[in-house]
Amino acid sequence: MRPSVVEQLTGSCRILETVVAPCVDDPFARTILGNLVANLRMLAGALPGIAPFLREDNAETARLLEQLREAVPAELQVRIAHALAEPDADPADSIALDARNTALRALLAEAVRQPSLTPDQHRSVLRRMTERAARAPMRYVATSSPSA
């Protein structure tokens, strides 16, 4: 599809920088505009990696939930089992992948708060979340503020 989403985001950045920015006199508004452009560029760069990241993250989170399942209360065990029995989302459907990711991560957040988890299980969760953060395709774009 032309223009692609990435091309559209990149083109929007170019227009904002070359047409809009020269017309913005207020330093605060210029800073906000610059931050918006930086965020759009981050999104354009991250977009191709989001679906693969979510597919892998869903699989890894499901594996971790399976490992934790026996250590959590029975009611949570049932909800984890039901979530794990759900079919994987369509690999090309980023909305479905994200919805599954949200559901699995909510269960993980609930499981990790259980006092019945062992120190080794907590370490597994910490290791998994550290690895996840290091691979996430979307990164915070540092903002700046106008000098006073």
Side-chain angles (χ1 to χ4, degrees):
M1 178 169 74
R2 291 285 185 235
S4 70
V5 175
V6 170
E7 290 167 339
Q8 290 180 45
L9 288 169
T10 303
S12 295
C13 289
R14 183 184 50 76
I15 291 167
L16 289 170
E17 291 172 323
T18 61
V19 176
V20 177
C23 298
V24 178
D25 294 328
D26 179 69
F28 181 71
R30 243 188 341 269
T31 299
I32 296 299
L33 179 60
N35 291 336
L36 288 171
V37 169
N39 193 55
L40 289 172
R41 289 194 187 287
M42 179 277 298
L43 290 172
L47 190 61
I50 292 172
F53 170 81
L54 287 172
R55 283 193 304 270
E56 184 178 338
D57 192 53
N58 289 348
E60 290 297 321
T61 303
R63 275 192 281 279
L64 184 56
L65 284 167
E66 182 63 44
Q67 293 169 7
L68 302 177
R69 190 167 61 170
E70 295 303 316
V72 300
E75 183 271 332
L76 182 53
Q77 286 182 22
V78 169
R79 287 190 290 127
I80 289 172
H82 284 208
L84 297 181
E86 290 288 320
D88 288 335
D90 179 341
D93 185 347
S94 60
I95 293 172
L97 288 167
D98 187 54
R100 175 124 172 106
N101 192 260
T102 298
L104 293 173
R105 287 173 48 86
L107 288 168
L108 180 60
E110 192 172 344
V112 76
R113 294 190 310 262
Q114 301 305 313
S116 52
L117 262 60
T118 68
D120 282 344
Q121 288 172 319
H122 280 286
R123 280 190 288 277
S124 291
V125 171
L126 179 60
R127 186 172 39 256
R128 170 74 194 112
M129 297 315 293
T130 301
E131 291 167 359
R132 180 190 195 278
R135 290 187 302 88
M138 293 176 52
R139 299 278 181 211
Y140 170 74
V141 176
T143 57
S144 60
S145 53
S147 49

